[in-house]
Amino acid sequence: MAQPPRAYPSIAASARAEAKAQLLMRLRARGDVDLALLRAMEAAPRENFVGPAFADLALRDVAVPLPFGQTMESPSALARTIAALDPRPGNRILEIGAGSGFSAKVLAMLGREVVSVDCFEKLALDARARLERLGVANVAVIWADGFEISPSHGLFDRILVHGVFDEIPAALAGALAEGGVLVGPRRRAGAEPCELVRLGRNAAGAMEERVLGPWRAQRLLRGVFSDR
């Protein structure tokens, strides 16, 4: 009796699986990515946070375009910033620049609570909808100016800033709890590229700084923007 033809995965599906595996291996090879961060990034498929036109691009270690001229940073860049942030399970985390919601999903698996802010109304609404569809309950995405975070949100143990600032915004400095850490790119007196910095608030309330090296990112925008 003739045997039924064997079912093979499509070439596209096989290529996508291989690309995803290669990306995870590349992240695993980084010395600053611990197992918890690697698992969090693996459990948040990046292609779920972009439109169909960019699904394949999301499987590569490159930045992906978002609406309004914004971008989703590459997985290796995100891994480096989160590794420097060093989020702990009990941490409250503030993210400036929600973008697609991908990084908020990763942070939600590493901390207790995430407040993710975006100055573009549509980006904030779309990121919130994606996270709700994925059942992520410990992230609040809000449409607001990252320079003017309300004190009503309380203090945060970790703050991750995706946009370049000249000096740390006063509202963000004021939102950092004792022992807290802020990571973000800062411009060096107008020079290019900017530098990634890690700022920590010590027990005396002073900020201690560590420069992590050159960085490239978009400028942190002041204000709020709506397409309505």
Side-chain angles (χ1 to χ4, degrees), residues 40 52 90 141 179 202:
V141 181
N202 61 28

Side-chain angles (χ1 to χ4, degrees), residues 44-182:
R46 198 166 175 244
E47 61 270 28
N48 290 348
F49 293 85
V50 299
F54 297 112
D56 289 335
L57 193 61
L59 297 172
R60 298 164 53 192
D61 192 19
V62 296
V64 176
L66 296 176
F68 311 108
Q70 303 303 295
T71 58
M72 180 196 302
E73 61 200 324
S74 68
S76 60
L78 179 63
R80 184 179 174 190
T81 57
I82 294 181
L85 193 70
D86 190 26
R88 305 298 176 86
N91 287 165
R92 294 191 74 229
I93 304 171
L94 174 63
E95 177 186 37
I96 305 300
S100 68
F102 171 68
S103 52
K105 171 69 166 70
V106 175
L107 291 169
M109 300 184 67
L110 299 171
R112 173 172 59 89
E113 176 189 358
V114 178
V115 175
S116 186
V117 176
D118 205 286
C119 63
F120 290 97
E121 183 180 25
K122 179 171 174 51
L123 290 182
L125 292 175
D126 288 351
R128 183 187 302 161
R130 287 190 189 97
L131 292 166
E132 288 176 351
R133 285 198 301 270
L134 293 170
V136 183
N138 61 332
V139 176
V141 181
I142 62 175
W143 174 42
D145 182 352
F147 280 86
E148 302 293 341
I149 297 301
S150 171
S152 65
H153 292 297
L155 297 178
F156 294 89
D157 306 293
R158 300 288 187 271
I159 300 178
L160 180 59
V161 184
H162 292 292
V164 179
F165 52 83
D166 294 318
E167 297 295 337
I168 176 174
L172 296 185
L176 192 62
E178 179 183 319
V181 173
L182 180 149

